[in-house]
């Protein structure tokens, strides 16, 4: 599983499908298309997550409690989320966009950046590149869709993106921020292109809400009488810094079109998958936790994981009546032990258990870190790291340090006179040579 360096691109196309999860649900349940609908949040079933335009007109807002939403709109139809299906739909879109450019960076469900540097020779100018992106997404939608009880991310090559192409919006420009703002200004099914050198003019008329603002900063900017990016950029940069500190400098530079964050292509590793189908549905958390441990052990034993620690893991389940459940975790310290991998998943299982009996449980390791890239001298999974070749990593690191600093800087503590009353005589430092 060799590492591949990340590709980057200065020019970017932002592809955005608003309310991606809700649109996915409505294409699956067409009888709800003409009704006010709200998706319940997967992590808090007492609150609504995404809402349809009809529900919004009735006063329903995302984050409201279910009781508040129904009080405002008695006809509101509530849907339990199907995160596995939404994820599978999004993977299909990513696969289609990867056929246009190797630099694809997903941000959130329904929003992805595509790097377009160097594509001029294949497609032409910005208009032709955007057209190629739109055509690929349309082809993805027209592929034959095979209905099944479970949609795996690996099935995207043989399935269709069911969301209408008219919902697809594209923005093109220099850097991710400009392309994202352009996508928010595009009409459904259309695109907005911001030419190089026109970033400041385009951004000047945009509202402050397009900036990555917390509510308090947004309120303070409004109190200062600032409503557009142009008004913010018209201030001296030092004034923004004095009011908001380092964050103010970044906001000012974004508003002025001076920040060009490149698209970073992320290598999607081949996941290691372990699945378990139950002969009878189970709902007890203890049984699910035990099954989770067994699946993690099975995935860890996969030969492809040798030499790698797990960085990202996801668990999804097929529930009775066709529903699904999904939790994901990114380990701050990548690990190769079951206890550390399972801990955040079990926490989420306790906090937000499946809303029904589980018929099939799947564990996926989706991202990895080299097991020999860090000196895990005190890691809980040191034995696994050693089996993966920790000594070779220590040798490589020691050589690199010696070449850079020109003298030994790694030492090993050895016991010399353990009986001595003087601490400095009990131990000694010697050069560390792994």
């Amino acid at each position: 599983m060799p590492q591949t360096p990340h590709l980057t691109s200065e020019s970017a196309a932002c592809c955005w499908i608003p309310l991606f999860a809700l649109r996915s649900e409505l294409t699956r349940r067409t009888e709800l298309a003409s009704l006010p609908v709200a998706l319940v949040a997967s992590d808090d079933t007492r609150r609504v997550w995404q809402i349809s335009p009809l529900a919004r007109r009735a006063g329903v807002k995302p984050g409201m409690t279910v009781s508040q939403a129904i009080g405002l709109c008695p006809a509101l139809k509530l849907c339990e989320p199907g995160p596995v299906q939404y994820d599978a739909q999004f993977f299909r879109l990513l696969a289609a966009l990867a056929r246009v450019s190797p630099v694809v960076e997903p941000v959130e469900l329904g929003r992805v950046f595509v790097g377009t540097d160097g594509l001029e020779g294949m497609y032409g100018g910005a208009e032709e590149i955007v057209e190629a992106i739109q055509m690929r997404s349309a082809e993805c939608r027209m592929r034959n869709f095979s209905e099944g009880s479970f949609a795996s991310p690996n099935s995207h090559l043989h399935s269709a993106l069911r969301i209408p192409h008219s919902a697809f919006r594209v923005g093109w420009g220099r850097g991710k921020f400009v392309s994202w703002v352009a996508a928010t200004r595009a009409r459904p099914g259309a695109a907005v292109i911001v030419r190089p050198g026109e970033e400041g003019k385009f951004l000047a008329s945009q509202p402050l809400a397009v900036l990555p603002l917390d509510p308090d900063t947004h309120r303070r900017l409004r109190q200062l009488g600032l409503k557009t990016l142009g008004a913010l950029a018209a201030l001296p940069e030092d004034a923004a810094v004095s009011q908001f500190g380092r964050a103010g400098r970044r906001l000012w530079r974004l508003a002025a079109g001076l920040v060009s964050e490149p698209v970073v292509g992320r290598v999607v590793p081949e996941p290691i998958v372990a699945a378990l189908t139950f002969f009878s549905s189970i709902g007890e958390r203890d049984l699910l936790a035990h099954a989770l441990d067994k699946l993690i052990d099975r995935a860890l034993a996969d030969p492809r994981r040798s030499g790698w620690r797990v960085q990202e893991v996801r668990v999804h389940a097929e529930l009775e009546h066709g529903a699904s459940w999904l939790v994901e975790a990114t380990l701050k310290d990548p690990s190769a032990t079951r206890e550390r991998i399972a801990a955040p998943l079990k926490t989420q299982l306790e906090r937000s258990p499946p809303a029904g009996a589980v018929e099939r449980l799947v564990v996926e390791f989706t991202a990895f870190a080299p097991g020999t890239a860090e000196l895990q001298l005190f890691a809980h999974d040191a034995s696994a790291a050693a089996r993966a070749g920790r000594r070779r990593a220590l040798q490589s690191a020691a050589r690199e340090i010696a070449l850079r600093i020109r003298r030994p800087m790694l030492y090993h503590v050895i016991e010399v006179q353990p009986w001595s009353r003087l601490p400095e005589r009990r131990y000694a430092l010697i050069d560390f040579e792994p």
Side-chain angles (χ1 to χ4, degrees), residues 221-400:
L221 288 170
R222 299 281 294 185
Q223 288 176 343
L224 292 172
L226 304 175
K227 298 181 180 180
T228 64
L229 300 189
L232 175 59
L235 296 176
E237 182 178 1
D238 292 342
V241 175
S242 65
Q243 282 288 328
F244 303 99
R246 183 180 299 178
R249 184 185 303 279
R250 172 171 169 75
L251 294 175
W252 185 90
R253 294 180 66 82
L254 283 172
L258 300 178
V259 174
S260 176
E261 294 180 333
V263 181
V264 179
R266 299 178 181 178
V267 178
V268 181
E270 179 185 356
I272 294 177
V273 182
L276 183 62
T277 301
F278 303 104
F279 292 105
S280 60
S281 301
I282 64 171
E284 294 83 358
R285 298 184 192 179
D286 290 343
L287 291 177
L288 287 175
H290 180 69
L292 181 63
D293 286 340
K294 293 296 184 183
L295 288 176
I296 291 176
D297 284 339
R298 189 185 303 175
L300 287 173
D302 192 299
R304 292 173 295 172
R305 195 207 54 80
S306 178
W308 296 84
R309 293 167 295 144
V310 180
Q311 188 167 37
E312 294 181 7
V313 59
R314 41 186 267 149
V315 178
H316 45 86
E318 295 177 40
L319 310 181
E320 57 184 355
H321 308 306
S324 63
W325 176 79
L326 171 70
V327 294
E328 298 177 287
T330 300
L331 305 181
K332 182 178 180 182
D333 297 315
S335 176
T337 60
R338 180 230 295 164
E339 291 78 11
R340 296 183 67 193
I341 296 171
L345 300 172
K346 291 181 178 179
T347 299
Q348 295 188 56
L349 175 62
E350 287 292 327
R351 184 185 307 153
S352 179
V358 177
E359 297 179 346
R360 187 168 184 262
L361 191 66
V362 182
V363 169
E364 292 186 28
F365 296 162
T366 57
F368 305 86
T372 59
E374 298 177 1
L375 311 183
Q376 302 180 40
L377 299 179
F378 305 103
H380 294 293
D381 59 346
S383 59
R387 288 195 301 270
R390 186 180 63 183
R391 179 163 293 276
R392 290 193 300 272
L394 291 173
Q395 292 171 336
S396 176
R399 286 194 297 269
E400 184 175 348

Side-chain angles (χ1 to χ4, degrees), residues 9 36 83 123 409:
S9 173
Y123 301 104
M409 288 293 291

Side-chain angles (χ1 to χ4, degrees), residues 40 45-48 64-71 76 78:
V40 177
T45 55
R46 297 169 300 177
R47 297 186 179 276
V48 296
M64 276 186 172
T65 63
V66 169
S67 58
Q68 288 174 328
I70 294 177
L76 185 68
L78 297 174

Side-chain angles (χ1 to χ4, degrees), residues 118-282:
L119 297 184
E120 297 84 0
M122 295 178 60
Y123 301 104
E127 291 87 353
E128 289 76 17
I129 294 174
V130 168
E131 183 180 356
I133 290 173
Q134 293 172 323
M135 288 179 60
R136 284 300 184 188
S137 67
E139 290 175 5
C140 173
R141 181 177 175 270
M142 289 187 293
R143 291 175 186 269
N144 292 329
F145 181 78
S146 57
E147 286 289 350
S149 59
F150 176 72
S152 167
N154 294 329
S155 67
H156 59 264
L157 293 178
H158 308 287
S159 305
L161 183 68
R162 292 178 287 177
I163 295 176
H165 185 64
S166 59
F168 197 77
R169 310 182 190 208
V170 181
W172 187 92
R174 185 176 63 92
K176 291 191 288 189
F177 180 69
V178 172
S179 64
W180 159 237
V181 177
T184 65
R185 294 297 170 262
R187 298 190 310 275
V192 170
I193 295 174
V194 182
R195 306 283 178 188
E198 298 180 356
E199 294 85 4
K201 181 180 178 181
F202 168 73
L203 293 173
S205 60
Q206 306 304 324
L208 289 176
V210 300
L211 288 171
L213 295 171
D214 60 83
D216 181 62
T217 302
H218 188 255
R219 176 183 56 80
R220 291 172 61 190
L221 288 170
R222 299 281 294 185
Q223 288 176 343
L224 292 172
L226 304 175
K227 298 181 180 180
T228 64
L229 300 189
L232 175 59
L235 296 176
E237 182 178 1
D238 292 342
V241 175
S242 65
Q243 282 288 328
F244 303 99
R246 183 180 299 178
R249 184 185 303 279
R250 172 171 169 75
L251 294 175
W252 185 90
R253 294 180 66 82
L254 283 172
L258 300 178
V259 174
S260 176
E261 294 180 333
V263 181
V264 179
R266 299 178 181 178
V267 178
V268 181
E270 179 185 356
I272 294 177
V273 182
L276 183 62
T277 301
F278 303 104
F279 292 105
S280 60
S281 301
I282 64 171

Side-chain angles (χ1 to χ4, degrees), residues 7-20:
L7 301 173
T8 61
S9 173
E10 180 96 1
S11 61
C14 178
C15 306
W16 181 43
I17 301 178
L19 301 176
F20 187 92

